[in-house]
Amino acid sequence: MNGMDGVNWVNGVNRLELRTLRYFVAVAEELHFGRAAVRLHMSQPPLSRAIKALETELGATLLHRTSAGVTLTEAGAVLLDEARALLDRADRVRARVSAAAGAATLTVGILGDSTDPDVIRLADAYRRRHPHVEVTIRETDLTDPTCGLHAGLVDAALTRGPFDPTGLTTHELRADPVGALLRADDPLAGRATLTPAELADRRWFRFPEGTDPLWQAYWNGGEPRPGPVVRTVRECQQAVLWNGTVGMTVVDHVPAEGLTVVPLTGLPPSRVVVAWRERAPNPLIRSFVRAAITAYDAPAP
């Protein structure tokens, strides 16, 4: 940019609305207009028009659009960094105002195991950004993948898909390969990989009646299978240890003594997501979602 271009850029940024910046950040993070529109609860044409108007106002091309998706230009990458900082500042202002009004509380649902290092990093980052917000954690078992969102018990959830998304918005944070959880002395325990077909005649652990069918089907290897009913990670491990049952788990999870994990091929990864209710009233949800996206994008220490 020459000197005059730089002045125009700064003046343009000063005139921007936070809503427009949120539109741009959603597209830049999703790298797809369709997914960004779903995330923003709007149709794609007005989103595309808003981004085009933003480029015109700034006098810079922010995104390269192709049939395969979207990539950021150099100017787009600069704006993404600046927009994230501005939105974070706006979220902090909102949090401080809520704290002054005595309403700075946030309830977060977490599925099963809160020792995930990314969750720990998120907690540290959120505490630094919003020291006056009181966060309540509701840890749920494997029978409710929305962690109380559908029931209105939490404001946001750190969980895994798939589940019924009606009335909810989700953003994928991480994709974890899955494997078969077996006894260490199982005849298949020494295999480098397995397929669901090779385990078709085995009993798998399953979840109680009424559990989200999308969730149930995924953790049963894509089809109904007989086996003991479990509700927690610990019960899953015990079902395998005591009964020789087969189950699915994340490959990176360290199995309990006497158990092992063999990677499964032919199955999609387990997707970690942050989820929240559409049109939720708590103004702190947006800052939590942004903090989660940032924390999970950061390299592991």
Side-chain angles (χ1 to χ4, degrees), residues 50-101:
I51 298 302
K52 197 64 175 175
L54 175 61
E55 291 179 317
T56 299
E57 184 171 1
L58 292 177
T61 300
L62 305 172
L63 303 165
H64 288 308
R65 302 157 176 84
T66 69
S67 58
V70 174
T71 57
L72 285 170
T73 65
E74 182 178 352
V78 170
L79 181 59
L80 178 58
D81 286 342
E82 296 293 339
R84 281 172 166 166
L86 286 170
L87 293 174
D88 183 62
R89 176 60 180 163
D91 289 337
R92 293 188 194 192
V93 170
R94 186 179 292 108
R96 291 187 64 186
V97 171
S98 296

Side-chain angles (χ1 to χ4, degrees), residues 244-296:
T245 307
V246 174
M248 273 174 54
T249 187
V250 175
V251 169
D252 287 344
H253 276 186
V254 179
E257 186 176 355
L259 302 177
T260 191
V261 179
V262 179
L264 277 168
T265 61
L267 288 175
S270 171
R271 304 189 185 280
V272 179
V273 301
V274 58
W276 63 101
R277 295 193 310 280
E278 297 175 3
R279 304 178 185 85
N282 192 332
L284 299 175
I285 294 175
R286 181 175 288 154
S287 64
F288 177 80
V289 171
R290 291 210 52 77
I293 293 171
T294 301
Y296 278 73

Side-chain angles (χ1 to χ4, degrees), residues 158-176:
L158 293 169
T159 183
R160 293 180 181 272
F163 50 77
D164 177 11
T166 303
L168 305 179
T169 302
T170 63
H171 180 87
E172 183 179 326
L173 299 172
R174 197 179 69 218
D176 296 329

Side-chain angles (χ1 to χ4, degrees), residues 107-116 119 136-142 144 147-148 154 158 232-233:
T107 302
V108 178
I110 295 181
L111 183 71
D113 184 2
S114 57
T115 60
D116 184 328
V119 173
T136 300
I137 298 298
R138 181 179 186 269
E139 193 167 278
T140 61
D141 62 29
L142 302 177
D144 181 14
C147 302
V154 299
L158 293 169
T232 68
V233 172

